Amino acid sequence: MAMSILRQPIRTSLKRTYSTTRPFVPPAALRDIDNAPRQRTKPRPESPTFYTARSPYYDQLNSLESAIQYSRSALTKFQLLPLPAFARDSLPHLHPVWMDKREMGDALSSKLTTSRYRRVTQLLNELNDHRRIAHAAGCEDLGEGIESIVKLFEKKNQEAILARGKRKPVKFDKYGRSYTLGKRKTSAARVWIIPIAKPSAVPQGQSQTPEEQQPDKLDLTLTGLEDVFSDPKAKPTIPVTPATVLVNNVPLAHYFPIPADRERVIRPLKLTGLLGAYNVFAIVRGGGVSGQSGAVAHGIAKGLAAHEPAIEMILRKAKLMRRDPRMVERKKTGMAKARKRYTWVKR
Amino acid sequence: MASSGLRPWLAATRCLKKTALHPSRQPVRYAVTSFSNNEPLKSVEDWRRFQEDRAEFKMLMEYMGQYGSSQTRDNVFQPHHSLHKPLAPSEATLSALIAAGAHLGHSKSLMNPNFMPYAYGVRAGITIIDLDHTLPLLRRAANLVRAIVSRDGTVVFVGTRPDLRVTVRKAAERIGPQAFHVGERWLPGTLTNKLQMFGPEVSKEQRIAPDLAIFLNPLSNMHAIRECAIQHVPTIGIVDTNVDPRIVMYPIPANDEHPRTAELIAGILSVAGREGRLIHEQETQRRAQANERFKRGREKNAAKVSTVHD
């Protein structure tokens, strides 16, 4: 049925008239005959790869190969190819994210098999390598030219894919507050950390001199105790800023009655010496008491690292930046609990 | 161990002990010599200096080159010359063919009996091809390509091996829009199953069958050769000693395995094709001018006749 439908267009379109002998021309009309060779009516195919029957794919492949040849010769002229090992090592690493097979097939307007896709990506990797060398050496024109070709085959969400698995930077709001999440067992804590404004250190009843107007600097010549013993009404020179830690809108001491939990929450601030520097506001849900304290501590550690990147290493060494992966192990069949086995019976 | 008296050629192996072959004792000929220290390149200025050092070294070599051999990279044979600087059909010589290894056939036992007229003899177990037959046949094929292209014909270069892919592409590009190339597998039915391969519009509107097909490895493309025979397309092919030369219309008996031979032959044919294209362009120009003159003459005559009548 399908074949008979196909046969009809063949009959009409490819029908040819064969004339094996020349047609008769009366002698009077001979001089009007155009003796030029018969011009072909149909045009010839346009693409040089027409006879491969996969013209779009091979045309694209050929153009990519031409681009590679051109960039290679240009880089050779600029003394950038072939690169010795030490120069190649100093190049930045390549992280290309090419389109997948289906998208690439749409871009090349031909269905791609795996081997063809691999071939295209191989050429693109070489072109990308040339781009990297051109950019590193400062040949911006060449680099931009190569980029215009390579960009057509890169995935649209390339940055998002490359950023997967990396820690997202903590954003501060307009008041300078950080918002971080902390987790432990099944508890989750949302922690806001606000830096405390430094007070001007003007103690009452003391005359001001230019040296004493620096509140951050400690006066090491005199200890505070001497001042206290000499003058009972004198206040200490070191300014003290009390920090507030609120958990679920409740002060720390009220929410965590057990001292161990309180210590766990304060530990990040103690280790880094930032006890009076930041106010903490946390909302924690799920789990039990110590789980919640661990979650708040995790959130505080991440927030402090965002405010002061220098102390991140201290917290990382103390394993406070790490989300504790220990969770309650499930009960298994044939056992009383996760690990507890039933009493062994000999018979 | 053989004594040097009985088997003197083994004396060399006795001299070279394993310790002598140790890499630490061999002269370091492969070390990279650079005039700058091999520090990692960080900034753009570092890269600039690296490029300048290299350019300086090259200039020094070029300057010193005038005191050494007169052979330079440009006037000495380079392997890529057969692809980028092909010979013209008039420059094809026996020595060029031998240099390209065109005379080396296949094993004696694999020789096709129909190839006998083009075989010179047997040496080292392989059949040697008679290049005194090859050269005129190559010239004939070149004349054919030139004639077909000068009459607005289409030519297809078929070379379906990975090393022939670049050759056929370059040859087709040299001739211009009238030439095509197939560097990967020829899909069976390209000429005989046009409707399915190219669709109804293309098969109706464009001329599919080429006017000449050139095969650089005909033995692997028997389907294509059969299709060309069915569609009455003349064929040129490089026939080796294990191939029957009658499969193509214009055989060129030569080595079909060595890429250099294929590059040489495809280059010669493409240069002939380029000449044909120039002839075609000149012909079309000349005919256009003649038509113009004829039209102007007719108009003049018509004006004269009308004035006479008046």
PDB file of all heavy atoms in Angstrom, chain A residues 40 43-44 47-48 51 65-66 78-79 82 86 90 119 136, chain B residues 39 41 47 51 54 58 152 165 169 180-181 184 205 207-208 211:
ATOM      1  N   ARG A  40      22.099  22.180 -18.757  1.00  0.00           N
ATOM      2  CA  ARG A  40      21.352  21.373 -17.800  1.00  0.00           C
ATOM      3  C   ARG A  40      20.284  22.216 -17.132  1.00  0.00           C
ATOM      4  O   ARG A  40      20.555  23.338 -16.735  1.00  0.00           O
ATOM      5  CB  ARG A  40      22.312  20.864 -16.733  1.00  0.00           C
ATOM      6  CG  ARG A  40      22.752  19.502 -16.975  1.00  0.00           C
ATOM      7  CD  ARG A  40      24.165  19.341 -17.440  1.00  0.00           C
ATOM      8  NE  ARG A  40      24.443  17.911 -17.489  1.00  0.00           N
ATOM      9  CZ  ARG A  40      25.436  17.324 -16.870  1.00  0.00           C
ATOM     10  NH1 ARG A  40      26.265  18.039 -16.210  1.00  0.00           N
ATOM     11  NH2 ARG A  40      25.587  16.040 -16.954  1.00  0.00           N
ATOM     12  N   PRO A  43      19.793  22.168 -11.162  1.00  0.00           N
ATOM     13  CA  PRO A  43      21.046  22.612 -10.543  1.00  0.00           C
ATOM     14  C   PRO A  43      21.772  21.445  -9.878  1.00  0.00           C
ATOM     15  O   PRO A  43      21.149  20.446  -9.518  1.00  0.00           O
ATOM     16  CB  PRO A  43      20.576  23.622  -9.489  1.00  0.00           C
ATOM     17  CG  PRO A  43      19.218  23.161  -9.126  1.00  0.00           C
ATOM     18  CD  PRO A  43      18.617  22.519 -10.340  1.00  0.00           C
ATOM     19  N   ARG A  44      23.069  21.618  -9.720  1.00  0.00           N
ATOM     20  CA  ARG A  44      23.829  20.561  -9.031  1.00  0.00           C
ATOM     21  C   ARG A  44      23.705  20.766  -7.530  1.00  0.00           C
ATOM     22  O   ARG A  44      23.331  21.841  -7.077  1.00  0.00           O
ATOM     23  CB  ARG A  44      25.294  20.608  -9.474  1.00  0.00           C
ATOM     24  CG  ARG A  44      26.061  21.777  -8.926  1.00  0.00           C
ATOM     25  CD  ARG A  44      27.515  21.660  -9.299  1.00  0.00           C
ATOM     26  NE  ARG A  44      27.841  22.398 -10.502  1.00  0.00           N
ATOM     27  CZ  ARG A  44      28.216  23.675 -10.506  1.00  0.00           C
ATOM     28  NH1 ARG A  44      28.308  24.346  -9.395  1.00  0.00           N
ATOM     29  NH2 ARG A  44      28.498  24.277 -11.627  1.00  0.00           N
ATOM     30  N   SER A  47      26.114  21.263  -1.292  1.00  0.00           N
ATOM     31  CA  SER A  47      27.111  20.876  -0.289  1.00  0.00           C
ATOM     32  C   SER A  47      28.126  19.909  -0.890  1.00  0.00           C
ATOM     33  O   SER A  47      27.756  18.981  -1.602  1.00  0.00           O
ATOM     34  CB  SER A  47      26.405  20.218   0.901  1.00  0.00           C
ATOM     35  OG  SER A  47      27.332  19.516   1.683  1.00  0.00           O
ATOM     36  N   PRO A  48      29.427  20.093  -0.602  1.00  0.00           N
ATOM     37  CA  PRO A  48      30.434  19.156  -1.122  1.00  0.00           C
ATOM     38  C   PRO A  48      30.340  17.761  -0.529  1.00  0.00           C
ATOM     39  O   PRO A  48      30.938  16.823  -1.049  1.00  0.00           O
ATOM     40  CB  PRO A  48      31.769  19.807  -0.757  1.00  0.00           C
ATOM     41  CG  PRO A  48      31.463  20.787   0.292  1.00  0.00           C
ATOM     42  CD  PRO A  48      30.052  21.201   0.141  1.00  0.00           C
ATOM     43  N   TYR A  51      27.102  13.545  -1.324  1.00  0.00           N
ATOM     44  CA  TYR A  51      27.045  12.110  -1.619  1.00  0.00           C
ATOM     45  C   TYR A  51      27.316  11.230  -0.411  1.00  0.00           C
ATOM     46  O   TYR A  51      27.309  10.015  -0.505  1.00  0.00           O
ATOM     47  CB  TYR A  51      28.000  11.753  -2.772  1.00  0.00           C
ATOM     48  CG  TYR A  51      27.520  12.327  -4.065  1.00  0.00           C
ATOM     49  CD1 TYR A  51      28.025  13.517  -4.548  1.00  0.00           C
ATOM     50  CD2 TYR A  51      26.499  11.708  -4.783  1.00  0.00           C
ATOM     51  CE1 TYR A  51      27.551  14.072  -5.722  1.00  0.00           C
ATOM     52  CE2 TYR A  51      26.021  12.263  -5.953  1.00  0.00           C
ATOM     53  CZ  TYR A  51      26.550  13.444  -6.417  1.00  0.00           C
ATOM     54  OH  TYR A  51      26.076  14.000  -7.569  1.00  0.00           O
ATOM     55  N   GLU A  65      36.925  21.064  11.833  1.00  0.00           N
ATOM     56  CA  GLU A  65      38.315  20.705  11.531  1.00  0.00           C
ATOM     57  C   GLU A  65      39.063  21.889  10.926  1.00  0.00           C
ATOM     58  O   GLU A  65      40.236  22.118  11.241  1.00  0.00           O
ATOM     59  CB  GLU A  65      38.348  19.495  10.587  1.00  0.00           C
ATOM     60  CG  GLU A  65      38.158  18.185  11.308  1.00  0.00           C
ATOM     61  CD  GLU A  65      38.098  16.990  10.375  1.00  0.00           C
ATOM     62  OE1 GLU A  65      38.133  17.171   9.148  1.00  0.00           O
ATOM     63  OE2 GLU A  65      38.004  15.875  10.902  1.00  0.00           O
ATOM     64  N   SER A  66      38.384  22.649  10.064  1.00  0.00           N
ATOM     65  CA  SER A  66      39.029  23.845   9.499  1.00  0.00           C
ATOM     66  C   SER A  66      39.365  24.836  10.596  1.00  0.00           C
ATOM     67  O   SER A  66      40.442  25.450  10.578  1.00  0.00           O
ATOM     68  CB  SER A  66      38.106  24.537   8.496  1.00  0.00           C
ATOM     69  OG  SER A  66      37.629  23.646   7.561  1.00  0.00           O
ATOM     70  N   PHE A  78      52.341  32.399  16.641  1.00  0.00           N
ATOM     71  CA  PHE A  78      52.594  33.153  17.863  1.00  0.00           C
ATOM     72  C   PHE A  78      53.525  32.421  18.813  1.00  0.00           C
ATOM     73  O   PHE A  78      53.634  32.814  19.971  1.00  0.00           O
ATOM     74  CB  PHE A  78      51.266  33.427  18.594  1.00  0.00           C
ATOM     75  CG  PHE A  78      50.368  34.388  17.894  1.00  0.00           C
ATOM     76  CD1 PHE A  78      49.008  34.125  17.776  1.00  0.00           C
ATOM     77  CD2 PHE A  78      50.847  35.558  17.342  1.00  0.00           C
ATOM     78  CE1 PHE A  78      48.168  34.995  17.129  1.00  0.00           C
ATOM     79  CE2 PHE A  78      50.016  36.444  16.691  1.00  0.00           C
ATOM     80  CZ  PHE A  78      48.672  36.162  16.589  1.00  0.00           C
ATOM     81  N   GLN A  79      54.161  31.338  18.344  1.00  0.00           N
ATOM     82  CA  GLN A  79      55.109  30.563  19.165  1.00  0.00           C
ATOM     83  C   GLN A  79      54.432  29.907  20.365  1.00  0.00           C
ATOM     84  O   GLN A  79      55.072  29.664  21.382  1.00  0.00           O
ATOM     85  CB  GLN A  79      56.273  31.458  19.673  1.00  0.00           C
ATOM     86  CG  GLN A  79      56.918  32.321  18.630  1.00  0.00           C
ATOM     87  CD  GLN A  79      57.629  31.516  17.575  1.00  0.00           C
ATOM     88  OE1 GLN A  79      58.037  30.403  17.838  1.00  0.00           O
ATOM     89  NE2 GLN A  79      57.751  32.063  16.377  1.00  0.00           N
ATOM     90  N   PRO A  82      54.189  23.955  19.392  1.00  0.00           N
ATOM     91  CA  PRO A  82      53.819  23.030  20.473  1.00  0.00           C
ATOM     92  C   PRO A  82      54.317  23.526  21.824  1.00  0.00           C
ATOM     93  O   PRO A  82      55.411  24.052  21.935  1.00  0.00           O
ATOM     94  CB  PRO A  82      54.543  21.747  20.069  1.00  0.00           C
ATOM     95  CG  PRO A  82      55.681  22.192  19.223  1.00  0.00           C
ATOM     96  CD  PRO A  82      55.291  23.487  18.570  1.00  0.00           C
ATOM     97  N   PHE A  86      56.233  22.314  30.930  1.00  0.00           N
ATOM     98  CA  PHE A  86      56.102  23.249  32.044  1.00  0.00           C
ATOM     99  C   PHE A  86      55.086  24.344  31.721  1.00  0.00           C
ATOM    100  O   PHE A  86      54.346  24.799  32.597  1.00  0.00           O
ATOM    101  CB  PHE A  86      57.460  23.858  32.411  1.00  0.00           C
ATOM    102  CG  PHE A  86      57.942  24.930  31.474  1.00  0.00           C
ATOM    103  CD1 PHE A  86      57.674  26.271  31.718  1.00  0.00           C
ATOM    104  CD2 PHE A  86      58.670  24.609  30.338  1.00  0.00           C
ATOM    105  CE1 PHE A  86      58.122  27.257  30.858  1.00  0.00           C
ATOM    106  CE2 PHE A  86      59.111  25.585  29.475  1.00  0.00           C
ATOM    107  CZ  PHE A  86      58.842  26.910  29.730  1.00  0.00           C
ATOM    108  N   SER A  90      51.170  25.093  33.561  1.00  0.00           N
ATOM    109  CA  SER A  90      50.766  26.366  34.165  1.00  0.00           C
ATOM    110  C   SER A  90      49.470  26.913  33.584  1.00  0.00           C
ATOM    111  O   SER A  90      49.011  27.975  33.978  1.00  0.00           O
ATOM    112  CB  SER A  90      51.882  27.398  33.995  1.00  0.00           C
ATOM    113  OG  SER A  90      52.414  27.323  32.705  1.00  0.00           O
ATOM    114  N   ARG A 119      33.020  11.859  18.440  1.00  0.00           N
ATOM    115  CA  ARG A 119      33.933  12.500  17.477  1.00  0.00           C
ATOM    116  C   ARG A 119      33.812  14.016  17.561  1.00  0.00           C
ATOM    117  O   ARG A 119      34.805  14.743  17.553  1.00  0.00           O
ATOM    118  CB  ARG A 119      33.543  12.011  16.083  1.00  0.00           C
ATOM    119  CG  ARG A 119      34.526  12.350  15.056  1.00  0.00           C
ATOM    120  CD  ARG A 119      34.798  11.166  14.177  1.00  0.00           C
ATOM    121  NE  ARG A 119      35.366  11.669  12.952  1.00  0.00           N
ATOM    122  CZ  ARG A 119      34.936  11.367  11.744  1.00  0.00           C
ATOM    123  NH1 ARG A 119      33.943  10.520  11.612  1.00  0.00           N
ATOM    124  NH2 ARG A 119      35.501  11.876  10.703  1.00  0.00           N
ATOM    125  N   ALA A 136      45.281  32.455  27.817  1.00  0.00           N
ATOM    126  CA  ALA A 136      46.369  32.531  28.804  1.00  0.00           C
ATOM    127  C   ALA A 136      47.492  33.428  28.310  1.00  0.00           C
ATOM    128  O   ALA A 136      48.098  34.164  29.089  1.00  0.00           O
ATOM    129  CB  ALA A 136      46.897  31.128  29.098  1.00  0.00           C
TER     130      ALA A 136
ATOM    131  N   GLU B  39      60.076  27.773  34.713  1.00  0.00           N
ATOM    132  CA  GLU B  39      59.142  28.104  35.786  1.00  0.00           C
ATOM    133  C   GLU B  39      57.733  28.145  35.229  1.00  0.00           C
ATOM    134  O   GLU B  39      57.542  28.442  34.055  1.00  0.00           O
ATOM    135  CB  GLU B  39      59.489  29.487  36.353  1.00  0.00           C
ATOM    136  CG  GLU B  39      60.686  29.474  37.265  1.00  0.00           C
ATOM    137  CD  GLU B  39      61.194  30.898  37.502  1.00  0.00           C
ATOM    138  OE1 GLU B  39      60.574  31.847  36.995  1.00  0.00           O
ATOM    139  OE2 GLU B  39      62.211  31.044  38.165  1.00  0.00           O
ATOM    140  N   LEU B  41      54.239  29.532  34.122  1.00  0.00           N
ATOM    141  CA  LEU B  41      53.879  30.846  33.583  1.00  0.00           C
ATOM    142  C   LEU B  41      52.576  31.293  34.206  1.00  0.00           C
ATOM    143  O   LEU B  41      51.560  30.636  34.053  1.00  0.00           O
ATOM    144  CB  LEU B  41      53.731  30.758  32.061  1.00  0.00           C
ATOM    145  CG  LEU B  41      54.911  30.135  31.344  1.00  0.00           C
ATOM    146  CD1 LEU B  41      54.522  29.767  29.933  1.00  0.00           C
ATOM    147  CD2 LEU B  41      56.074  31.095  31.311  1.00  0.00           C
ATOM    148  N   TRP B  47      53.864  34.899  29.767  1.00  0.00           N
ATOM    149  CA  TRP B  47      53.593  34.276  28.471  1.00  0.00           C
ATOM    150  C   TRP B  47      54.240  35.080  27.357  1.00  0.00           C
ATOM    151  O   TRP B  47      54.792  34.514  26.405  1.00  0.00           O
ATOM    152  CB  TRP B  47      52.082  34.170  28.241  1.00  0.00           C
ATOM    153  CG  TRP B  47      51.460  33.014  28.956  1.00  0.00           C
ATOM    154  CD1 TRP B  47      50.888  33.013  30.179  1.00  0.00           C
ATOM    155  CD2 TRP B  47      51.368  31.672  28.465  1.00  0.00           C
ATOM    156  NE1 TRP B  47      50.445  31.749  30.498  1.00  0.00           N
ATOM    157  CE2 TRP B  47      50.716  30.921  29.470  1.00  0.00           C
ATOM    158  CE3 TRP B  47      51.770  31.028  27.296  1.00  0.00           C
ATOM    159  CZ2 TRP B  47      50.464  29.558  29.330  1.00  0.00           C
ATOM    160  CZ3 TRP B  47      51.503  29.668  27.162  1.00  0.00           C
ATOM    161  CH2 TRP B  47      50.861  28.962  28.172  1.00  0.00           C
ATOM    162  N   GLN B  51      56.927  33.681  24.653  1.00  0.00           N
ATOM    163  CA  GLN B  51      56.772  33.767  23.193  1.00  0.00           C
ATOM    164  C   GLN B  51      57.975  34.470  22.579  1.00  0.00           C
ATOM    165  O   GLN B  51      58.489  34.060  21.535  1.00  0.00           O
ATOM    166  CB  GLN B  51      55.501  34.551  22.845  1.00  0.00           C
ATOM    167  CG  GLN B  51      54.223  33.791  23.082  1.00  0.00           C
ATOM    168  CD  GLN B  51      53.012  34.689  22.870  1.00  0.00           C
ATOM    169  OE1 GLN B  51      52.586  35.398  23.776  1.00  0.00           O
ATOM    170  NE2 GLN B  51      52.450  34.659  21.682  1.00  0.00           N
ATOM    171  N   ARG B  54      61.102  32.290  22.420  1.00  0.00           N
ATOM    172  CA  ARG B  54      61.012  31.307  21.335  1.00  0.00           C
ATOM    173  C   ARG B  54      61.261  31.961  19.981  1.00  0.00           C
ATOM    174  O   ARG B  54      61.946  31.397  19.120  1.00  0.00           O
ATOM    175  CB  ARG B  54      59.616  30.706  21.332  1.00  0.00           C
ATOM    176  CG  ARG B  54      59.519  29.475  22.164  1.00  0.00           C
ATOM    177  CD  ARG B  54      58.177  28.856  21.965  1.00  0.00           C
ATOM    178  NE  ARG B  54      58.232  27.438  22.126  1.00  0.00           N
ATOM    179  CZ  ARG B  54      57.217  26.629  21.917  1.00  0.00           C
ATOM    180  NH1 ARG B  54      56.067  27.125  21.531  1.00  0.00           N
ATOM    181  NH2 ARG B  54      57.339  25.346  22.093  1.00  0.00           N
ATOM    182  N   LYS B  58      64.237  31.198  17.263  1.00  0.00           N
ATOM    183  CA  LYS B  58      63.979  30.854  15.859  1.00  0.00           C
ATOM    184  C   LYS B  58      64.732  31.803  14.927  1.00  0.00           C
ATOM    185  O   LYS B  58      65.288  31.374  13.916  1.00  0.00           O
ATOM    186  CB  LYS B  58      62.479  30.929  15.554  1.00  0.00           C
ATOM    187  CG  LYS B  58      61.708  29.709  15.922  1.00  0.00           C
ATOM    188  CD  LYS B  58      60.630  29.378  14.881  1.00  0.00           C
ATOM    189  CE  LYS B  58      60.045  28.015  15.112  1.00  0.00           C
ATOM    190  NZ  LYS B  58      59.014  27.964  16.133  1.00  0.00           N
ATOM    191  N   ASP B 152      31.021  21.524 -17.425  1.00  0.00           N
ATOM    192  CA  ASP B 152      30.076  21.702 -16.317  1.00  0.00           C
ATOM    193  C   ASP B 152      29.626  20.372 -15.741  1.00  0.00           C
ATOM    194  O   ASP B 152      28.469  20.180 -15.383  1.00  0.00           O
ATOM    195  CB  ASP B 152      28.839  22.512 -16.809  1.00  0.00           C
ATOM    196  CG  ASP B 152      28.012  23.014 -15.658  1.00  0.00           C
ATOM    197  OD1 ASP B 152      28.595  23.302 -14.598  1.00  0.00           O
ATOM    198  OD2 ASP B 152      26.774  23.092 -15.793  1.00  0.00           O
ATOM    199  N   ARG B 165      40.595  10.478   4.067  1.00  0.00           N
ATOM    200  CA  ARG B 165      39.516  11.436   4.272  1.00  0.00           C
ATOM    201  C   ARG B 165      39.963  12.860   3.926  1.00  0.00           C
ATOM    202  O   ARG B 165      39.264  13.608   3.242  1.00  0.00           O
ATOM    203  CB  ARG B 165      39.084  11.376   5.743  1.00  0.00           C
ATOM    204  CG  ARG B 165      37.667  11.747   5.992  1.00  0.00           C
ATOM    205  CD  ARG B 165      37.188  11.218   7.318  1.00  0.00           C
ATOM    206  NE  ARG B 165      38.125  11.425   8.401  1.00  0.00           N
ATOM    207  CZ  ARG B 165      38.183  12.514   9.164  1.00  0.00           C
ATOM    208  NH1 ARG B 165      37.363  13.494   8.952  1.00  0.00           N
ATOM    209  NH2 ARG B 165      39.069  12.603  10.126  1.00  0.00           N
ATOM    210  N   ARG B 169      38.924  15.399   0.584  1.00  0.00           N
ATOM    211  CA  ARG B 169      38.336  16.716   0.872  1.00  0.00           C
ATOM    212  C   ARG B 169      39.130  17.814   0.181  1.00  0.00           C
ATOM    213  O   ARG B 169      38.569  18.724  -0.435  1.00  0.00           O
ATOM    214  CB  ARG B 169      38.330  16.929   2.387  1.00  0.00           C
ATOM    215  CG  ARG B 169      37.609  18.194   2.769  1.00  0.00           C
ATOM    216  CD  ARG B 169      37.705  18.509   4.211  1.00  0.00           C
ATOM    217  NE  ARG B 169      37.298  19.888   4.420  1.00  0.00           N
ATOM    218  CZ  ARG B 169      37.498  20.561   5.528  1.00  0.00           C
ATOM    219  NH1 ARG B 169      38.100  19.984   6.542  1.00  0.00           N
ATOM    220  NH2 ARG B 169      37.105  21.804   5.640  1.00  0.00           N
ATOM    221  N   PHE B 180      32.733  16.893  -5.348  1.00  0.00           N
ATOM    222  CA  PHE B 180      32.204  16.424  -4.066  1.00  0.00           C
ATOM    223  C   PHE B 180      33.134  15.360  -3.516  1.00  0.00           C
ATOM    224  O   PHE B 180      33.979  14.847  -4.244  1.00  0.00           O
ATOM    225  CB  PHE B 180      30.793  15.840  -4.257  1.00  0.00           C
ATOM    226  CG  PHE B 180      29.863  16.808  -4.915  1.00  0.00           C
ATOM    227  CD1 PHE B 180      29.826  16.936  -6.294  1.00  0.00           C
ATOM    228  CD2 PHE B 180      29.025  17.603  -4.158  1.00  0.00           C
ATOM    229  CE1 PHE B 180      28.977  17.840  -6.904  1.00  0.00           C
ATOM    230  CE2 PHE B 180      28.171  18.494  -4.767  1.00  0.00           C
ATOM    231  CZ  PHE B 180      28.151  18.622  -6.133  1.00  0.00           C
ATOM    232  N   HIS B 181      32.975  15.040  -2.244  1.00  0.00           N
ATOM    233  CA  HIS B 181      33.841  14.012  -1.663  1.00  0.00           C
ATOM    234  C   HIS B 181      33.067  13.147  -0.677  1.00  0.00           C
ATOM    235  O   HIS B 181      32.140  13.619  -0.021  1.00  0.00           O
ATOM    236  CB  HIS B 181      35.068  14.639  -0.983  1.00  0.00           C
ATOM    237  CG  HIS B 181      34.743  15.535   0.162  1.00  0.00           C
ATOM    238  ND1 HIS B 181      34.397  16.854   0.012  1.00  0.00           N
ATOM    239  CD2 HIS B 181      34.722  15.306   1.492  1.00  0.00           C
ATOM    240  CE1 HIS B 181      34.184  17.386   1.193  1.00  0.00           C
ATOM    241  NE2 HIS B 181      34.383  16.477   2.107  1.00  0.00           N
ATOM    242  N   GLU B 184      33.872   8.987   4.342  1.00  0.00           N
ATOM    243  CA  GLU B 184      33.469   7.883   5.218  1.00  0.00           C
ATOM    244  C   GLU B 184      32.683   6.910   4.357  1.00  0.00           C
ATOM    245  O   GLU B 184      32.604   7.042   3.165  1.00  0.00           O
ATOM    246  CB  GLU B 184      32.613   8.425   6.355  1.00  0.00           C
ATOM    247  CG  GLU B 184      33.176   9.664   6.988  1.00  0.00           C
ATOM    248  CD  GLU B 184      33.916   9.399   8.261  1.00  0.00           C
ATOM    249  OE1 GLU B 184      33.666   8.358   8.894  1.00  0.00           O
ATOM    250  OE2 GLU B 184      34.751  10.213   8.631  1.00  0.00           O
ATOM    251  N   GLU B 205      14.377  17.974  -7.729  1.00  0.00           N
ATOM    252  CA  GLU B 205      14.859  19.291  -8.140  1.00  0.00           C
ATOM    253  C   GLU B 205      16.341  19.335  -8.464  1.00  0.00           C
ATOM    254  O   GLU B 205      16.762  20.214  -9.198  1.00  0.00           O
ATOM    255  CB  GLU B 205      14.566  20.324  -7.039  1.00  0.00           C
ATOM    256  CG  GLU B 205      13.126  20.747  -7.008  1.00  0.00           C
ATOM    257  CD  GLU B 205      12.735  21.267  -5.644  1.00  0.00           C
ATOM    258  OE1 GLU B 205      13.647  21.742  -4.922  1.00  0.00           O
ATOM    259  OE2 GLU B 205      11.552  21.196  -5.283  1.00  0.00           O
ATOM    260  N   ARG B 207      20.137  17.460  -9.680  1.00  0.00           N
ATOM    261  CA  ARG B 207      20.666  16.294 -10.388  1.00  0.00           C
ATOM    262  C   ARG B 207      21.547  15.497  -9.432  1.00  0.00           C
ATOM    263  O   ARG B 207      22.526  16.012  -8.898  1.00  0.00           O
ATOM    264  CB  ARG B 207      21.437  16.688 -11.653  1.00  0.00           C
ATOM    265  CG  ARG B 207      22.396  17.839 -11.532  1.00  0.00           C
ATOM    266  CD  ARG B 207      23.097  18.046 -12.842  1.00  0.00           C
ATOM    267  NE  ARG B 207      23.526  19.428 -12.957  1.00  0.00           N
ATOM    268  CZ  ARG B 207      24.746  19.828 -13.322  1.00  0.00           C
ATOM    269  NH1 ARG B 207      25.661  18.942 -13.646  1.00  0.00           N
ATOM    270  NH2 ARG B 207      25.047  21.108 -13.402  1.00  0.00           N
ATOM    271  N   ILE B 208      21.138  14.251  -9.211  1.00  0.00           N
ATOM    272  CA  ILE B 208      21.794  13.430  -8.190  1.00  0.00           C
ATOM    273  C   ILE B 208      22.994  12.701  -8.792  1.00  0.00           C
ATOM    274  O   ILE B 208      24.077  12.693  -8.226  1.00  0.00           O
ATOM    275  CB  ILE B 208      20.811  12.398  -7.598  1.00  0.00           C
ATOM    276  CG1 ILE B 208      19.546  13.077  -7.123  1.00  0.00           C
ATOM    277  CG2 ILE B 208      21.471  11.584  -6.521  1.00  0.00           C
ATOM    278  CD1 ILE B 208      19.631  13.752  -5.797  1.00  0.00           C
ATOM    279  N   ASP B 211      28.769  13.061 -12.778  1.00  0.00           N
ATOM    280  CA  ASP B 211      29.255  12.794 -14.134  1.00  0.00           C
ATOM    281  C   ASP B 211      30.556  12.016 -14.139  1.00  0.00           C
ATOM    282  O   ASP B 211      31.006  11.567 -15.185  1.00  0.00           O
ATOM    283  CB  ASP B 211      29.450  14.123 -14.871  1.00  0.00           C
ATOM    284  CG  ASP B 211      28.127  14.835 -15.047  1.00  0.00           C
ATOM    285  OD1 ASP B 211      27.206  14.209 -15.605  1.00  0.00           O
ATOM    286  OD2 ASP B 211      28.009  15.987 -14.604  1.00  0.00           O
TER     287      ASP B 211
END
